[in-house]
Amino acid sequence: MRVQRAGTVLVAVAAMVAGLTACGGGSGGGKFVVGVKFDQPGLGQKQPDGSFKGFDVDVARYVAKQLGYQDGQIEFKEAISANREPFIQQGQVNIVAATYSITDDRKKKISFAGPYLVTGQDILTRADDTTINGVEDLRNKKVCGAQGSSSPKRLADKFGEAWKSQYLTEQQGYGSCLPLLENRQVDAISTDATILAGFAAQSPGKFRLVGKPFSEEKYGIGLKLEDKDTREKINKALEKMFADGSWKKAVDANFGEFGGFFTTPPAIERY
Protein backbone atom coordinates (compact mmCIF):
# COMPACT_ATOMS: atom_id res chain seq x y z
CA MET A 1 0.00 0.00 0.00
CA ARG A 2 2.88 2.40 0.86
CA VAL A 3 4.60 1.61 -2.45
CA GLN A 4 1.39 2.41 -4.28
CA ARG A 5 1.04 5.77 -2.51
CA ALA A 6 4.65 6.67 -3.21
CA GLY A 7 4.13 5.86 -6.86
CA THR A 8 1.02 8.04 -6.97
CA VAL A 9 2.90 10.96 -5.43
CA LEU A 10 5.76 10.58 -7.93
CA VAL A 11 3.31 10.55 -10.85
CA ALA A 12 1.58 13.68 -9.53
CA VAL A 13 4.88 15.51 -9.08
CA ALA A 14 6.04 14.50 -12.57
CA ALA A 15 2.77 15.75 -14.08
CA MET A 16 3.12 19.07 -12.28
CA VAL A 17 6.70 19.54 -13.48
CA ALA A 18 5.68 18.64 -17.05
CA GLY A 19 2.92 21.21 -16.89
CA LEU A 20 5.32 23.92 -15.75
CA THR A 21 7.81 23.00 -18.47
CA ALA A 22 5.16 23.09 -21.20
CA CYS A 23 4.28 26.63 -20.16
CA GLY A 24 7.91 27.70 -20.09
CA GLY A 25 8.13 27.33 -16.33
CA GLY A 26 11.90 26.83 -16.31
CA SER A 27 14.54 28.91 -18.06
CA GLY A 28 15.63 27.07 -21.17
CA GLY A 29 13.02 24.32 -20.82
CA GLY A 30 9.79 23.80 -22.73
CA LYS A 31 7.98 26.45 -24.72
CA PHE A 32 8.03 30.20 -24.20
CA VAL A 33 4.65 31.49 -25.34
CA VAL A 34 4.36 35.12 -26.45
CA GLY A 35 1.15 37.00 -27.20
CA VAL A 36 1.58 39.28 -30.23
CA LYS A 37 -0.61 40.99 -32.78
CA PHE A 38 -0.97 39.04 -36.04
CA ASP A 39 -2.26 41.89 -38.23
CA GLN A 40 -0.09 44.97 -37.64
CA PRO A 41 2.71 45.49 -40.18
CA GLY A 42 5.92 46.70 -38.60
CA LEU A 43 4.83 45.57 -35.13
CA GLY A 44 3.36 42.08 -35.17
CA GLN A 45 2.30 40.35 -38.37
CA LYS A 46 1.91 36.72 -39.33
CA GLN A 47 3.46 36.05 -42.73
CA PRO A 48 1.97 33.79 -45.45
CA ASP A 49 4.61 31.14 -44.66
CA GLY A 50 3.59 31.10 -40.99
CA SER A 51 6.55 33.09 -39.70
CA PHE A 52 6.25 36.35 -37.75
CA LYS A 53 7.69 39.81 -38.34
CA GLY A 54 7.60 43.13 -36.54
CA PHE A 55 9.21 45.25 -33.87
CA ASP A 56 7.21 43.65 -31.03
CA VAL A 57 8.21 40.24 -32.39
CA ASP A 58 11.89 41.19 -32.49
CA VAL A 59 11.77 42.53 -28.92
CA ALA A 60 10.03 39.38 -27.68
CA ARG A 61 12.57 37.11 -29.41
CA TYR A 62 15.48 39.04 -27.92
CA VAL A 63 13.98 38.87 -24.42
CA ALA A 64 13.20 35.16 -24.72
CA LYS A 65 16.78 34.39 -25.74
CA GLN A 66 18.11 36.40 -22.80
CA LEU A 67 15.89 34.25 -20.57
CA GLY A 68 17.50 31.12 -22.01
CA TYR A 69 15.10 30.05 -24.76
CA GLN A 70 16.06 29.18 -28.34
CA ASP A 71 14.14 30.08 -31.51
CA GLY A 72 12.51 26.66 -31.68
CA GLN A 73 11.12 27.05 -28.16
CA ILE A 74 9.41 30.41 -28.84
CA GLU A 75 5.74 30.13 -29.76
CA PHE A 76 3.61 33.07 -30.89
CA LYS A 77 -0.07 33.25 -29.97
CA GLU A 78 -2.47 35.86 -31.35
CA ALA A 79 -3.32 38.52 -28.81
CA ILE A 80 -6.03 41.02 -29.66
CA SER A 81 -6.54 44.06 -27.45
CA ALA A 82 -9.42 42.48 -25.52
CA ASN A 83 -7.71 39.23 -24.51
CA ARG A 84 -4.28 40.41 -23.40
CA GLU A 85 -4.95 40.53 -19.64
CA PRO A 86 -6.94 37.25 -19.57
CA PHE A 87 -4.16 35.48 -21.51
CA ILE A 88 -1.63 36.52 -18.86
CA GLN A 89 -3.86 35.88 -15.86
CA GLN A 90 -4.90 32.43 -17.10
CA GLY A 91 -1.34 31.37 -17.94
CA GLN A 92 -2.03 30.95 -21.65
CA VAL A 93 1.10 32.99 -22.42
CA ASN A 94 4.34 33.76 -20.62
CA ILE A 95 4.42 37.37 -21.81
CA VAL A 96 2.49 39.74 -24.08
CA ALA A 97 4.27 42.13 -26.46
CA ALA A 98 1.45 43.56 -28.53
CA THR A 99 1.43 47.39 -28.68
CA TYR A 100 0.55 47.03 -25.00
CA SER A 101 0.37 50.47 -23.40
CA ILE A 102 1.36 50.68 -19.74
CA THR A 103 -1.48 52.19 -17.70
CA ASP A 104 -2.22 52.43 -13.97
CA ASP A 105 -5.45 50.51 -14.44
CA ARG A 106 -3.74 47.61 -16.21
CA LYS A 107 -0.99 47.52 -13.56
CA LYS A 108 -3.65 46.50 -11.04
CA LYS A 109 -4.26 43.29 -13.02
CA ILE A 110 -0.90 42.38 -14.54
CA SER A 111 2.73 43.48 -14.31
CA PHE A 112 4.77 45.39 -16.90
CA ALA A 113 8.43 45.35 -17.84
CA GLY A 114 9.73 48.27 -19.87
CA PRO A 115 8.72 50.43 -21.57
CA TYR A 116 10.61 49.38 -24.68
CA LEU A 117 9.09 52.07 -26.92
CA VAL A 118 7.32 55.38 -26.35
CA THR A 119 4.94 56.59 -29.03
CA GLY A 120 1.78 58.67 -29.26
CA GLN A 121 -1.20 59.41 -31.46
CA ASP A 122 0.09 61.03 -34.63
CA ILE A 123 -1.08 61.80 -38.17
CA LEU A 124 -0.31 60.21 -41.52
CA THR A 125 -1.03 62.12 -44.71
CA ARG A 126 0.03 61.93 -48.35
CA ALA A 127 3.66 62.78 -49.05
CA ASP A 128 2.66 65.72 -51.27
CA ASP A 129 0.21 67.25 -48.75
CA THR A 130 1.84 70.09 -46.81
CA THR A 131 -1.37 71.47 -45.30
CA ILE A 132 -1.43 69.13 -42.28
CA ASN A 133 1.34 69.69 -39.74
CA GLY A 134 -0.37 69.13 -36.41
CA VAL A 135 -3.60 68.03 -34.79
CA GLU A 136 -5.24 71.48 -35.10
CA ASP A 137 -4.96 71.18 -38.88
CA LEU A 138 -7.44 68.29 -38.78
CA ARG A 139 -10.31 70.55 -37.76
CA ASN A 140 -11.52 70.88 -41.36
CA LYS A 141 -10.02 67.70 -42.80
CA LYS A 142 -11.43 64.26 -43.54
CA VAL A 143 -9.84 61.73 -41.21
CA CYS A 144 -9.93 57.92 -41.22
CA GLY A 145 -9.80 55.84 -38.05
CA ALA A 146 -10.47 52.28 -36.93
CA GLN A 147 -13.72 51.16 -35.37
CA GLY A 148 -13.32 50.48 -31.65
CA SER A 149 -10.03 52.37 -31.41
CA SER A 150 -9.55 55.12 -28.85
CA SER A 151 -7.81 57.30 -31.47
CA PRO A 152 -10.93 58.48 -33.39
CA LYS A 153 -12.66 59.08 -30.05
CA ARG A 154 -9.83 61.37 -28.94
CA LEU A 155 -10.35 63.51 -32.07
CA ALA A 156 -14.14 63.48 -31.72
CA ASP A 157 -13.83 64.60 -28.09
CA LYS A 158 -11.55 67.42 -29.21
CA PHE A 159 -13.52 68.69 -32.20
CA GLY A 160 -17.09 67.73 -31.26
CA GLU A 161 -19.98 65.67 -32.62
CA ALA A 162 -20.53 67.92 -35.63
CA TRP A 163 -16.94 67.31 -36.73
CA LYS A 164 -17.36 63.57 -36.17
CA SER A 165 -20.44 63.34 -38.38
CA GLN A 166 -18.95 65.48 -41.15
CA TYR A 167 -15.26 64.61 -41.24
CA LEU A 168 -14.64 61.23 -39.56
CA THR A 169 -14.67 57.95 -41.49
CA GLU A 170 -14.22 54.69 -39.58
CA GLN A 171 -13.03 51.41 -41.08
CA GLN A 172 -12.57 47.95 -39.55
CA GLY A 173 -8.81 48.45 -39.39
CA TYR A 174 -6.15 51.00 -40.23
CA GLY A 175 -5.02 48.94 -43.22
CA SER A 176 -8.38 49.74 -44.82
CA CYS A 177 -7.73 53.47 -44.33
CA LEU A 178 -4.57 53.51 -46.48
CA PRO A 179 -6.35 53.11 -49.88
CA LEU A 180 -8.76 55.89 -48.90
CA LEU A 181 -5.85 58.18 -48.11
CA GLU A 182 -3.95 57.27 -51.26
CA ASN A 183 -7.06 57.84 -53.42
CA ARG A 184 -7.80 61.21 -51.75
CA GLN A 185 -11.08 60.07 -50.22
CA VAL A 186 -9.70 61.19 -46.85
CA ASP A 187 -6.96 63.64 -45.97
CA ALA A 188 -5.34 61.86 -43.05
CA ILE A 189 -5.21 58.80 -40.80
CA SER A 190 -4.64 59.23 -37.08
CA THR A 191 -3.53 56.67 -34.47
CA ASP A 192 -0.28 55.56 -32.76
CA ALA A 193 2.76 56.72 -34.75
CA THR A 194 4.19 53.19 -34.68
CA ILE A 195 1.08 51.71 -36.28
CA LEU A 196 1.02 54.41 -38.95
CA ALA A 197 4.73 53.91 -39.65
CA GLY A 198 4.31 50.15 -39.96
CA PHE A 199 1.53 50.39 -42.51
CA ALA A 200 3.09 53.26 -44.47
CA ALA A 201 6.50 51.55 -44.67
CA GLN A 202 4.89 49.04 -47.05
CA SER A 203 4.50 51.84 -49.62
CA PRO A 204 7.77 53.84 -49.53
CA GLY A 205 7.52 57.48 -50.59
CA LYS A 206 3.72 57.66 -50.73
CA PHE A 207 2.96 58.90 -47.23
CA ARG A 208 4.25 61.39 -44.66
CA LEU A 209 4.20 60.95 -40.89
CA VAL A 210 3.68 64.38 -39.34
CA GLY A 211 5.78 63.51 -36.30
CA LYS A 212 3.94 65.63 -33.71
CA PRO A 213 2.24 63.17 -31.34
CA PHE A 214 -0.52 64.57 -29.15
CA SER A 215 -0.72 61.74 -26.63
CA GLU A 216 1.79 59.43 -24.97
CA GLU A 217 1.74 55.64 -25.15
CA LYS A 218 4.43 53.58 -23.40
CA TYR A 219 4.63 50.06 -24.83
CA GLY A 220 5.52 47.47 -22.19
CA ILE A 221 5.81 43.71 -21.89
CA GLY A 222 2.96 42.26 -19.87
CA LEU A 223 3.39 39.33 -17.50
CA LYS A 224 1.79 37.94 -14.33
CA LEU A 225 1.21 40.46 -11.57
CA GLU A 226 3.18 38.61 -8.88
CA ASP A 227 6.17 37.60 -11.03
CA LYS A 228 8.61 40.32 -9.96
CA ASP A 229 11.66 38.15 -10.56
CA THR A 230 10.90 37.60 -14.25
CA ARG A 231 9.93 41.26 -14.65
CA GLU A 232 13.39 42.32 -13.46
CA LYS A 233 15.07 39.79 -15.77
CA ILE A 234 13.09 41.19 -18.71
CA ASN A 235 13.98 44.76 -17.73
CA LYS A 236 17.67 43.83 -17.73
CA ALA A 237 17.25 42.12 -21.11
CA LEU A 238 15.65 45.26 -22.54
CA GLU A 239 18.46 47.43 -21.21
CA LYS A 240 20.95 45.12 -22.90
CA MET A 241 18.97 45.36 -26.15
CA PHE A 242 19.08 49.16 -25.93
CA ALA A 243 22.83 49.18 -25.27
CA ASP A 244 24.12 46.63 -27.80
CA GLY A 245 22.45 48.16 -30.88
CA SER A 246 19.80 45.46 -31.33
CA TRP A 247 16.95 47.86 -30.47
CA LYS A 248 17.98 50.40 -33.12
CA LYS A 249 18.49 47.61 -35.66
CA ALA A 250 14.93 46.40 -35.02
CA VAL A 251 13.55 49.95 -35.38
CA ASP A 252 15.24 50.43 -38.75
CA ALA A 253 14.23 46.98 -40.01
CA ASN A 254 10.54 47.39 -39.19
CA PHE A 255 9.74 51.09 -39.64
CA GLY A 256 11.79 51.81 -42.77
CA GLU A 257 11.89 55.48 -43.73
CA PHE A 258 9.96 56.34 -40.55
CA GLY A 259 12.57 54.83 -38.22
CA GLY A 260 13.95 58.33 -37.64
CA PHE A 261 10.94 59.09 -35.46
CA PHE A 262 12.00 56.41 -32.97
CA THR A 263 15.69 57.09 -32.42
CA THR A 264 16.08 56.91 -28.65
CA PRO A 265 15.22 53.97 -26.40
CA PRO A 266 13.14 54.92 -23.34
CA ALA A 267 14.21 54.64 -19.72
CA ILE A 268 13.06 51.48 -17.96
CA GLU A 269 10.46 52.24 -15.26
CA ARG A 270 10.99 49.92 -12.32
CA TYR A 271 8.29 49.70 -9.66
Side-chain angles (χ1 to χ4, degrees):
M1 182 68 78
R2 287 180 181 174
V3 173
Q4 245 181 346
R5 282 180 183 168
T8 302
V9 170
L10 286 172
V11 169
V13 170
M16 184 166 58
V17 170
L20 285 170
T21 303
C23 200
S27 179
K31 291 286 186 183
F32 189 77
V33 185
V34 183
V36 296
K37 295 290 180 71
F38 277 23
D39 60 352
Q40 288 190 339
L43 290 159
Q45 187 178 37
K46 188 174 183 178
Q47 304 299 296
D49 64 1
S51 63
F52 296 88
K53 287 181 64 177
F55 185 74
D56 287 349
V57 172
D58 289 345
V59 170
R61 281 201 180 105
Y62 187 98
V63 165
K65 288 179 180 179
Q66 292 300 308
L67 294 179
Y69 296 88
Q70 303 303 311
D71 276 334
Q73 295 174 286
I74 303 168
E75 179 182 313
F76 292 105
K77 185 180 180 75
E78 184 172 21
I80 61 173
S81 295
N83 68 18
R84 290 177 296 195
E85 281 105 57
F87 271 11
I88 293 167
Q89 293 169 325
Q90 295 164 12
Q92 294 192 46
V93 297
N94 294 89
I95 63 171
V96 168
T99 62
Y100 205 1
S101 296
I102 300 171
T103 68
D104 289 339
D105 184 56
R106 287 171 177 164
K107 283 161 73 173
K108 295 173 185 175
K109 304 170 188 173
I110 57 108
S111 185
F112 279 105
Y116 60 87
L117 190 72
V118 176
T119 186
Q121 186 168 345
D122 211 325
I123 302 162
L124 190 75
T125 186
R126 290 179 294 278
D128 61 356
D129 186 345
T130 59
T131 66
I132 299 174
N133 296 291
V135 65
E136 293 298 334
D137 294 330
L138 298 180
R139 190 174 295 276
N140 299 305
K141 299 289 186 178
K142 293 180 179 178
V143 179
C144 188
Q147 296 169 0
S149 168
S150 61
S151 299
K153 183 180 183 301
R154 184 176 281 117
L155 292 175
D157 288 346
K158 179 177 180 61
F159 296 129
E161 285 299 315
W163 178 89
K164 180 180 178 180
S165 61
Q166 185 175 355
Y167 292 108
L168 181 63
T169 297
E170 292 185 278
Q171 299 292 312
Q172 287 190 335
Y174 288 103
S176 300
C177 287
L178 277 179
L180 301 183
L181 179 60
E182 186 175 2
N183 297 327
R184 302 178 182 272
Q185 293 171 264
V186 298
D187 302 302
I189 307 170
S190 184
T191 190
D192 289 3
T194 46
I195 295 173
L196 296 173
F199 278 111
Q202 298 178 114
S203 306
K206 287 188 177 181
F207 304 104
R208 177 174 64 90
L209 188 63
V210 169
K212 292 182 181 177
F214 48 96
S215 72
E216 184 178 71
E217 307 292 339
K218 297 178 179 180
Y219 290 173
I221 292 177
L223 67 158
K224 281 196 171 179
L225 183 63
E226 66 276 9
D227 196 353
K228 295 181 181 179
D229 180 58
T230 303
R231 181 177 71 197
E232 181 55 24
K233 288 178 181 177
I234 293 173
N235 279 332
K236 287 180 178 178
L238 291 173
E239 287 177 328
K240 184 177 179 181
M241 188 179 190
F242 299 163
D244 69 12
S246 299
W247 184 89
K248 182 63 166 61
K249 184 178 177 181
V251 165
D252 292 340
N254 292 295
F255 299 129
E257 63 185 295
F258 304 102
F261 289 98
F262 314 103
T263 56
T264 307
I268 297 297
E269 298 179 359
R270 288 179 166 87
Y271 64 95

